[in-house]
């Protein structure tokens, strides 16, 4: 039975029909690709949603753009918006060539043809619910002229179109990634997307920041059950393709710097926060060479000679730290220390005190082209020593490297690790073991941790919010005066960052 509210809502469609164009970028793949299963399911779900929208008087144009070689995998009901003529390979050189489209070229294809009111772009592995277009029209009529809808992750056990009804029925779990964008066609003509390519990290933020900057009312819908993705294997996130991520990160920095100068004040704060995050964490620097020698990285520990520590003082060779460390993170007072002590009882694991390196110390560093400026080290060393032991020998060693433009943040972190481990473990034990670092707030810096250590294991511990918050208020000076809402927001942020 249709209630009066729904009847009134559907009636508004017929009087003021909103024209929507949904564009996707399909690709011909082999059976070994995760898209081999995901794409047909996406196509079928879009057809279902389009048919359902038509029954409610909505005008939805589902179209596609792709390369010539990818034609033929698309349902005949979808409109061809024109072929793509260039790729990221026309922009730069990459270790492993991948013909990835530019997001700007895809959006340009959506602008062709009969004018529409709103454009939808989704990744080709994102399927939609039958009521997808009905709901986004409702959001538009509520005044949102740009928004994103975060997907739900469902079981990866599904393998055929026949299971689509079961996929619709599965609630799944929410995912923080941005892969469904809805925005007005008029506003999109102003977008500054650069040469960012799809199929690599950070492309979502390039598009997201433009939606935020050029909208009157923007929102990210995190809880809606309107789109879904089969599994969460993140097959695109491979170390061998990191140079594509680097390219997108550079384009993102340029985009944010431009948008900060032209967008309205309320949005400018959000843009600035995003920009500061990327600059402060040095995401723009070129990590191609760093990733090539990633597993061969050696920490020169000659600064340890002459110190009294557990092991032989005749050790003169660089030490190779295991590049698959373990990071224990979580909301403070959730049991991270207890978990660390239990993990330390296992063979092949060595551990050290909290470094706060990625959450606090690294923010004190001035980094250019992945090299630390020596003039910032004094402040960084002071901040570091407030939190854990740090030898004078290590300080002198790192200072000399910085003065010779040879010190990277990763080198500094590993020197800190070794400097603390040698008091409790022999050098041979350190070299053959995985090191474990426990800093709860590192949960907010997982992106940069995984950039330095793609094979790292992160253990996130979650405690009931009431118990965790009460313990934090009782043990952290000054925080007992915080409003409880502030504590709740910090707990929610910590939990969300680890997803």
């Amino acid at each position: 039975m249709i209630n009066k509210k729904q009847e009134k809502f559907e009636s508004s469609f017929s009087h003021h029909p909103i024209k929507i164009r949904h564009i996707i970028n399909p690709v011909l793949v082999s059976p070994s690709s995760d898209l081999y299963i995901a794409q047909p399911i996406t196509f079928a779900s879009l057809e279902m949603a389009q048919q359902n929208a038509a029954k409610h008087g909505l005008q939805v144009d589902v179209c596609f753009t792709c390369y010539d070689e990818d034609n033929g995998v698309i349902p005949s009901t979808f409109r061809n918006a024109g072929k793509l003529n260039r790729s990221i390979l026309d922009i730069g050189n990459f270790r492993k060539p991948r013909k990835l489209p530019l997001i700007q070229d895809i959006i340009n294809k959506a602008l062709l043809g009969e004018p529409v009111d709103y454009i939808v772009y989704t990744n080709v592995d994102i399927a939609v619910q039958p009521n997808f277009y009905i709901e986004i029209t409702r959001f538009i009529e509520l005044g949102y002229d740009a928004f994103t809808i975060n997907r739900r992750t469902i079981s990866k056990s599904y393998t055929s179109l026949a299971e689509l009804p079961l996929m619709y029925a599965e609630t799944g779990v929410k995912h923080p990634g941005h892969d469904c964008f809805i925005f007005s066609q008029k506003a999109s003509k102003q977008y500054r997307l650069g040469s960012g390519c799809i199929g690599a990290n950070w492309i979502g933020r390039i598009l997201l920041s433009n939606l935020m900057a050029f909208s009157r009312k923007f929102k990210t819908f995190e809880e809606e059950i309107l789109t879904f993705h089969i599994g969460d294997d993140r097959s695109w996130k491979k170390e061998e393709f990191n140079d594509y991520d680097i390219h997108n990160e550079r384009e993102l920095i340029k985009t944010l710097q431009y948008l900060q100068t032209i967008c309205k004040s309320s949005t400018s704060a959000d843009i600035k926060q995003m920009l500061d995050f990327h600059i402060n964490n040095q995401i723009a620097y070129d990590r191609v060479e760093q990733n090539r020698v990633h597993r061969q990285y050696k920490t020169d520990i000659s600064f340890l000679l002459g110190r009294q520590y557990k092991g032989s003082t005749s050790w003169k060779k660089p030490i190779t730290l295991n590049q698959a460390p373990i990071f224990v993170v979580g909301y403070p007072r959730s049991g991270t220390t207890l978990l660390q002590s239990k993990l330390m009882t296992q063979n092949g694991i060595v551990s050290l005190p909290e470094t706060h390196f990625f959450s606090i110390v690294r923010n004190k560093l001035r980094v250019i082209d992945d090299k630390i400026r020596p003039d910032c080290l004094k402040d960084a060393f002071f901040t570091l020593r407030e939190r854990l032991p740090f030898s004078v020998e290590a300080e002198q060693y790192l200072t000399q490297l910085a003065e010779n433009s040879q010190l990277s943040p990763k080198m500094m972190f590993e020197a800190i690790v070794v400097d603390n481990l040698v008091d409790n473990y022999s050098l041979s034990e350190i070299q053959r073991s995985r090191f474990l670092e426990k800093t709860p707030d590192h949960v907010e810096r997982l992106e940069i941790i995984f950039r330095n250590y793609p094979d790292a294991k992160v253990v996130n511990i979650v405690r009931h919010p009431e118990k965790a918050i009460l313990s934090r208020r009782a043990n952290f000076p000054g925080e007992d005066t915080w409003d409880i809402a502030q504590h709740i927001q910090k707990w929610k942020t910590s939990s969300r960052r680890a997803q």
Side-chain angles (χ1 to χ4, degrees), residues 423-481:
D423 289 322
N424 298 297
Y425 305 95
S426 68
L427 292 173
S428 59
E429 187 176 8
I430 294 171
Q431 182 157 254
R432 69 172 182 264
S433 303
R434 300 172 72 171
F435 70 87
L436 184 156
E437 197 274 354
K438 185 271 294 186
T439 299
D441 285 342
H442 279 172
V443 70
E444 299 185 14
R445 294 293 184 267
L446 295 183
E447 290 172 322
I448 195 165
I449 285 175
F450 279 121
R451 272 168 181 71
N452 284 281
Y453 301 99
D455 295 324
K457 298 296 182 184
V458 173
V459 183
N460 174 59
I461 186 167
V462 179
R463 185 184 183 188
H464 190 283
E466 179 183 2
K467 302 292 186 181
I469 290 172
L470 288 176
S471 180
R472 179 168 181 166
R473 285 169 62 90
N475 289 276
F476 284 60
E479 294 190 8
D480 57 334
T481 62

Side-chain angles (χ1 to χ4, degrees), residues 75-101:
S76 58
T77 54
F78 294 174
R79 183 177 63 84
N80 190 339
K83 70 176 182 178
L84 295 171
N85 296 311
R86 65 171 180 165
S87 75
I88 190 62
L89 299 180
D90 296 307
I91 304 299
N93 297 315
F94 300 87
R95 293 198 305 275
K96 290 197 172 185
R98 303 175 70 203
K99 195 175 180 181
L100 301 176

Side-chain angles (χ1 to χ4, degrees), residues 305-319:
L305 297 181
R307 277 185 58 195
Q308 296 296 319
Y309 63 93
K310 183 177 179 179
S312 171
T313 54
S314 64
W315 189 288
K316 295 182 180 181
K317 297 180 180 179
I319 183 173

Side-chain angles (χ1 to χ4, degrees), residues 121-186:
Y121 168 76
T122 56
N123 292 350
V124 76
D125 57 354
I126 299 299
V128 305
Q129 291 284 350
N131 63 334
F132 176 72
Y133 297 115
I134 297 171
E135 288 301 301
I136 66 174
T137 301
R138 181 171 66 86
F139 295 150
I140 292 169
E141 294 206 337
L142 288 173
Y144 297 104
D145 59 336
F147 52 97
T148 64
I149 300 173
N150 288 5
R151 73 179 190 242
R152 310 292 292 190
T153 300
I154 65 173
S155 171
K156 63 179 181 180
S157 63
Y158 299 112
T159 58
S160 73
L161 280 174
E163 298 171 297
L164 187 56
L166 297 176
M167 300 179 211
Y168 286 150
E170 185 173 336
T171 301
V173 295
K174 72 176 184 178
H175 189 280
H178 293 91
D179 39 37
C180 173
F181 305 85
I182 300 92
F183 48 92
S184 73
Q185 183 183 56
K186 182 179 180 181

Side-chain angles (χ1 to χ4, degrees), residues 5 71 109 121 142 206 216 257-258 285 302 311 360 372 390 420 430 443 447 449 472 474 491:
K5 183 177 180 181
N71 251 316
K109 295 297 182 183
Y121 168 76
L142 288 173
I206 292 176
R216 297 184 306 276
Q257 289 173 333
Y258 168 75
Y285 67 70
S302 59
I360 297 178
I372 298 174
F390 186 60
N420 278 269
I430 294 171
V443 70
E447 290 172 322
I449 285 175
R472 179 168 181 166
W491 186 92

Side-chain angles (χ1 to χ4, degrees), residues 13-292:
F13 293 165
S14 60
H15 288 111
H16 305 284
I18 295 173
K19 296 181 180 179
I20 296 172
R21 177 168 295 143
H22 190 159
I23 191 163
I24 57 174
N25 170 238
V27 58
L28 185 64
V29 296
S30 67
S32 62
S33 170
D34 59 319
L35 289 179
Y36 189 78
I37 293 175
Q39 268 192 151
I41 291 170
T42 294
F43 299 155
S45 73
L46 292 178
E47 286 184 300
M48 177 72 75
Q50 185 182 32
Q51 293 167 9
N52 199 31
K55 294 177 183 178
H56 289 77
L58 300 180
Q59 300 182 39
V60 179
D61 170 32
V62 180
C63 63
F64 67 91
T65 181
C66 61
Y67 299 113
D68 277 338
E69 60 268 28
D70 296 319
N71 251 316
V73 300
I74 320 299
S76 58
T77 54
F78 294 174
R79 183 177 63 84
N80 190 339
K83 70 176 182 178
L84 295 171
N85 296 311
R86 65 171 180 165
S87 75
I88 190 62
L89 299 180
D90 296 307
I91 304 299
N93 297 315
F94 300 87
R95 293 198 305 275
K96 290 197 172 185
R98 303 175 70 203
K99 195 175 180 181
L100 301 176
L102 307 184
I103 187 62
Q104 182 67 72
D105 291 350
I106 294 174
I107 300 304
N108 285 346
K109 295 297 182 183
L111 297 177
L112 300 177
E114 179 184 348
V116 295
D117 299 302
Y118 283 84
I119 293 172
V120 180
Y121 168 76
T122 56
N123 292 350
V124 76
D125 57 354
I126 299 299
V128 305
Q129 291 284 350
N131 63 334
F132 176 72
Y133 297 115
I134 297 171
E135 288 301 301
I136 66 174
T137 301
R138 181 171 66 86
F139 295 150
I140 292 169
E141 294 206 337
L142 288 173
Y144 297 104
D145 59 336
F147 52 97
T148 64
I149 300 173
N150 288 5
R151 73 179 190 242
R152 310 292 292 190
T153 300
I154 65 173
S155 171
K156 63 179 181 180
S157 63
Y158 299 112
T159 58
S160 73
L161 280 174
E163 298 171 297
L164 187 56
L166 297 176
M167 300 179 211
Y168 286 150
E170 185 173 336
T171 301
V173 295
K174 72 176 184 178
H175 189 280
H178 293 91
D179 39 37
C180 173
F181 305 85
I182 300 92
F183 48 92
S184 73
Q185 183 183 56
K186 182 179 180 181
S188 66
K189 296 176 181 179
Q190 306 176 67
Y191 286 2
R192 180 71 67 92
L193 302 173
S195 62
C197 66
I198 68 171
N201 203 9
W202 303 121
I203 190 59
R205 288 201 180 186
I206 292 176
L207 196 49
L208 172 68
S209 58
N210 277 273
L211 266 67
M212 294 168 59
F214 292 105
S215 64
R216 297 184 306 276
K217 187 177 180 180
F218 170 85
K219 183 173 181 177
T220 292
F221 291 94
E222 299 181 346
E223 304 290 345
E224 301 296 326
I225 305 176
L226 290 174
T227 66
F228 59 89
H229 183 276
I230 300 174
D232 191 26
D233 291 338
R234 305 187 185 190
S235 58
W236 50 271
K237 196 170 184 178
K238 296 181 179 179
E239 183 182 355
E240 59 190 306
F241 299 136
N242 275 0
D243 46 354
Y244 292 93
D245 297 344
I246 295 167
H247 170 84
N248 275 359
E249 291 164 353
R250 287 175 168 174
E251 293 302 301
L252 174 59
I253 291 290
K254 295 176 187 176
T255 296
L256 294 172
Q257 289 173 333
Y258 168 75
L259 295 179
Q260 190 180 21
T261 65
I262 57 92
C263 64
K264 57 189 178 184
S265 58
S266 59
T267 305
S268 179
D270 295 327
I271 297 293
K272 184 179 185 301
Q273 183 179 8
M274 198 183 302
L275 178 62
D276 288 345
F277 171 82
H278 287 278
I279 290 180
N280 288 340
N281 288 285
Q282 285 301 301
I283 293 179
Y285 67 70
D286 187 352
R287 287 189 300 269
V288 174
E289 186 60 29
Q290 175 190 355
N291 288 326
R292 280 182 187 159

